[in-house]
Amino acid sequence: MAEEKEYRDPNRRAVVNRLARASGHLEMVRRMVEEGRSYNDVLIQLAAVKAAINNTGKVILKDYIKQCLEELAEGGDKEALDELNRAVDQFIK
Amino acid sequence: MAEEKEYRDPNRRAVVNRLARASGHLEMVRRMVEEGRSYNDVLIQLAAVKAAINNTGKVILKDYIKQCLEELAEGGDKEALDELNRAVDQFIK
Amino acid sequence: MAEEKEYRDPNRRAVVNRLARASGHLEMVRRMVEEGRSYNDVLIQLAAVKAAINNTGKVILKDYIKQCLEELAEGGDKEALDELNRAVDQFIK
Amino acid sequence: MAEEKEYRDPNRRAVVNRLARASGHLEMVRRMVEEGRSYNDVLIQLAAVKAAINNTGKVILKDYIKQCLEELAEGGDKEALDELNRAVDQFIK
């Protein structure tokens, strides 16, 4: 099995910030439920957190594809494609 | 427009705990990216957080439906259905 | 277990038409792949079919909730809620 | 802008068959609604069609990534990555 690719892409810092924002947003939804806010308000915000996480996953997947392409263009091993395909399967539900 | 329904269902405590766990899990993913963990590990965990949030949304939606049914059975106003439908549209993407 | 609710809502005709359109659209995507059209064109159209099916499912779920509320308001059995919850779980992935 | 990649992968025949099956399945759901089958039965089958379409999209995306990697390894143009990223954005909702 190909050696798993470490996330070294320059985009990494932007992804960490996205995840921090999504984490804060999710914390806010938790407090909304605790305070007994309306179902509609809670579900709207929860859908927004879900979308933010989904978009972050797309950024990570694209960084992964980019790193694979670059390494392959420099003669990297083709087995890396199997690992990448595994990630596509894992993330797209 | 019907008055928005406050989330008073006994399930609420369980939902608050679910959201707290999902929040902790998302924090863990943030740290994984910060530490440069592999793309696969990060995407697998992010997919798990997304699923946990989706399942929590389903619990909230079912609590909402239950509360609507109960209030309607006691003569509550039928406009509540419009608010509930809005929640279905908002959450199912 | 509550008796399963037959889909008798007046909306039914509109849902049949939605599904017919989605079916035609999916057929078109199949032909695009057969003709060797570009990956991007195929994936864009496939995402559109997926969205159309998702939206149709939301219409059906809302019809189902409406029928449950109406029957409950006329003294229908409360077990119907379990069947409705099963549908929420089945459809929201 | 990079020239869009035609879907020439040997997998194409398998994808055409998948889409034909999903199309037939969607047709079946349309008839179920027409015949007034239960909401639960209809929603279960519609969720199954949605999953089949999603899985087919993943197969196409992986074929696309594979073709990009192969062409890049033979000196193909790097702009192809932008087109591939557009497909990732389009399909993962």
Side-chain angles (χ1 to χ4, degrees), chain D residues 16-50:
Chain D
V16 170
N17 296 339
R18 273 176 178 262
L19 291 171
R21 279 196 304 274
S23 215
H25 197 168
L26 190 53
E27 239 325 280
M28 187 195 88
V29 177
R30 189 187 64 76
R31 283 197 306 275
M32 287 172 70
V33 176
E34 210 150 44
E35 292 154 13
R37 289 277 297 275
S38 81
Y39 288 103
N40 280 63
D41 288 350
V42 169
L43 285 169
I44 286 169
Q45 294 303 324
L46 204 55
V49 174
K50 202 169 72 165

Side-chain angles (χ1 to χ4, degrees), chain D residues 70-89:
Chain D
E70 283 163 358
E71 290 179 4
L72 242 164
E74 292 144 16
D77 77 69
K78 292 222 171 150
E79 273 183 37
L81 181 60
D82 300 336
E83 283 302 305
L84 176 56
N85 282 340
R86 213 160 54 83
V88 169
D89 279 326

Side-chain angles (χ1 to χ4, degrees), chain B residues 54 58 61-62 65-66 68-70 72-73 78 81 84-85 88-93, chain C residues 54 58 61-62 65-66 68-70 72-73 78 81 84-85 88-93:
Chain B
N54 207 45
K58 288 201 270 188
L61 192 57
K62 288 190 275 185
I65 293 170
K66 187 167 146 259
C68 275
L69 295 186
E70 284 164 358
L72 241 162
K78 291 219 171 158
L81 181 59
L84 175 56
N85 282 340
V88 168
D89 279 327
Q90 292 286 359
F91 189 69
I92 308 177
K93 295 290 174 198
Chain C
N54 206 45
K58 287 201 271 189
L61 192 57
K62 287 190 276 187
I65 293 170
K66 187 166 144 261
C68 274
L69 294 187
E70 285 163 359
L72 233 157
K78 293 220 171 159
L81 182 59
L84 176 55
N85 282 339
V88 169
D89 279 326
Q90 291 287 358
F91 189 70
I92 307 177
K93 295 290 176 201

Side-chain angles (χ1 to χ4, degrees), chain A residues 6-31:
Chain A
E6 277 179 32
Y7 195 163
R8 291 192 316 275
D9 193 277
N11 241 343
R12 202 152 57 99
R13 176 48 45 196
V15 167
V16 170
N17 295 339
R18 272 177 180 261
L19 291 171
R21 279 197 303 275
S23 217
H25 197 167
L26 190 53
E27 240 323 280
M28 187 195 89
V29 177
R30 189 187 63 77
R31 283 197 306 276

